[in-house]
Amino acid sequence: LIDLQNDFKIYWNKSPIAKLIPGRDYLNPTFELIIDDILESNQKKKLIIFIDKWLKNKIDTILKSLVDLKNIKEKNSSIKALAFQLYENNGVLKREQVSNYLKDLDQNDRKILRDLGVKFGRYHVYLHRLIKPEAVSLRTLLWKNYHQKYFDLSPPKFGLNFLSNKNARSKNFMLLCGFEKFDNFFVRIDILERLFVQIINTNTENKKEIKLIPEMLNLLGCNKEDFKKLLKNMGYKINIKDNDIFFKYIPPKKTK
């Protein structure tokens, strides 16, 4: 009966009754009634209490792992610091951003965070439950409401793991949707981790070079040419032998 839609309005039986407005942070929006002129004072108070409770429950349920992270009671400063960074960045962090925090976490600390839904990947540290369609839709809606911009941006179609887009998109918004940018390509961050696992688990005679197998293309849902371009953007060197494609990771040289 009650629903929050992409126009930031809350509907009751398909009729708008309230509209979201920014609150103290993006997980705590406030709202204003649209129909307050036709309500008596007592009815108005009851409706405000009802909507407030419904909205809070929706956010607490769908974005539970983010809310739990915000309310973490750990005394360990490294855990708290990483939890805060994750919360501030909407549940997705590039691993390089927090490499210093990660050095200070032992296996016990990581388990505490894993139990809250944190995944420590090769490229990202993120809350894996937030990449589900319902969570992405709500997070991006709340994010746009809080910042009061990016209204023309919408999440990629659910089910896509790989996007080729030459048009400039907001990198921050796409990361919020769970996609990492590599030049003109976007790859879903959990699929990126699965690709990395596939790469390290590939049995090859020469461990320094990895052979491109169809499963890698199937995982991403892209063609061979795009995959080769993506590998180059990820720091891999391509080598073609007898129509087979091999690739090898070449770490970037550190400048002093």
Side-chain angles (χ1 to χ4, degrees), residues 111-127:
K111 186 182 183 305
I112 290 166
L113 289 164
R114 280 195 189 100
D115 289 345
L116 287 169
V118 177
K119 192 169 179 75
F120 297 90
R122 165 71 176 79
Y123 301 98
H124 299 88
V125 178
Y126 62 100
L127 291 165

Side-chain angles (χ1 to χ4, degrees), residues 57-74:
N57 183 60
K58 184 180 178 74
I59 293 168
D60 287 352
T61 303
I62 297 173
L63 305 181
K64 186 180 184 302
S65 53
L66 199 56
V67 174
D68 288 348
L69 206 64
K70 184 189 179 188
N71 300 328
I72 197 168
K73 295 289 190 286
E74 275 299 316

Side-chain angles (χ1 to χ4, degrees), residues 215-227:
E215 286 83 356
M216 294 173 185
L217 298 177
N218 295 340
L219 178 65
L220 264 73
C222 70
N223 62 43
K224 204 177 280 187
E225 284 309 305
D226 281 348
F227 192 81

Side-chain angles (χ1 to χ4, degrees), residues 14 21 28 49 63 79 102 107 129 154 163 178 196-197 220-221:
K14 298 184 179 177
I21 52 175
N28 289 281
I49 291 167
L63 305 181
I79 292 178
L102 296 178
Q107 287 308 311
R129 295 185 192 103
S154 56
L163 295 165
F196 179 68
V197 171
L220 264 73

Side-chain angles (χ1 to χ4, degrees), residues 181-225:
K181 189 176 193 297
F182 295 95
D183 196 20
N184 292 329
F185 301 127
F186 290 96
V187 184
R188 223 174 78 175
I189 59 175
D190 55 334
I191 297 299
L192 200 58
E193 296 304 334
R194 283 169 60 187
L195 175 65
F196 179 68
V197 171
Q198 260 191 7
I199 288 171
I200 61 172
N201 288 341
T202 301
N203 292 317
T204 55
E205 290 174 19
N206 180 356
K207 280 288 178 186
K208 290 181 180 177
E209 279 195 331
I210 298 118
K211 185 180 177 181
L212 171 61
I213 54 175
E215 286 83 356
M216 294 173 185
L217 298 177
N218 295 340
L219 178 65
L220 264 73
C222 70
N223 62 43
K224 204 177 280 187
E225 284 309 305

Side-chain angles (χ1 to χ4, degrees), residues 72-193:
I72 197 168
K73 295 289 190 286
E74 275 299 316
K75 290 177 183 175
N76 181 313
S77 59
S78 295
I79 292 178
K80 279 175 75 175
L82 188 61
F84 178 75
Q85 285 290 324
L86 263 172
Y87 175 74
E88 284 288 294
N89 288 275
N90 318 304
V92 185
L93 282 167
K94 288 194 178 189
R95 195 178 174 108
E96 65 205 36
Q97 287 176 262
V98 286
S99 54
N100 289 338
Y101 297 126
L102 296 178
K103 286 174 193 169
D104 296 329
L105 296 176
D106 61 27
Q107 287 308 311
N108 249 0
D109 300 335
R110 286 175 183 243
K111 186 182 183 305
I112 290 166
L113 289 164
R114 280 195 189 100
D115 289 345
L116 287 169
V118 177
K119 192 169 179 75
F120 297 90
R122 165 71 176 79
Y123 301 98
H124 299 88
V125 178
Y126 62 100
L127 291 165
H128 62 90
R129 295 185 192 103
L130 295 188
I131 300 175
K132 292 179 179 177
E134 194 179 25
V136 170
S137 295
L138 183 57
R139 275 193 309 142
T140 51
L141 184 73
L142 295 176
W143 190 74
K144 288 191 280 189
N145 173 66
Y146 180 68
H147 291 288
Q148 287 294 294
K149 55 182 178 178
Y150 309 114
F151 297 125
D152 58 328
L153 297 177
S154 56
K157 187 180 175 183
F158 296 116
L160 289 176
N161 299 333
F162 178 91
L163 295 165
S164 176
N165 195 324
K166 290 179 183 175
N167 300 324
R169 283 176 180 245
S170 167
K171 264 171 63 175
N172 291 339
F173 180 77
M174 288 299 283
L175 198 56
L176 184 72
C177 298
F179 282 79
E180 179 58 82
K181 189 176 193 297
F182 295 95
D183 196 20
N184 292 329
F185 301 127
F186 290 96
V187 184
R188 223 174 78 175
I189 59 175
D190 55 334
I191 297 299
L192 200 58
E193 296 304 334

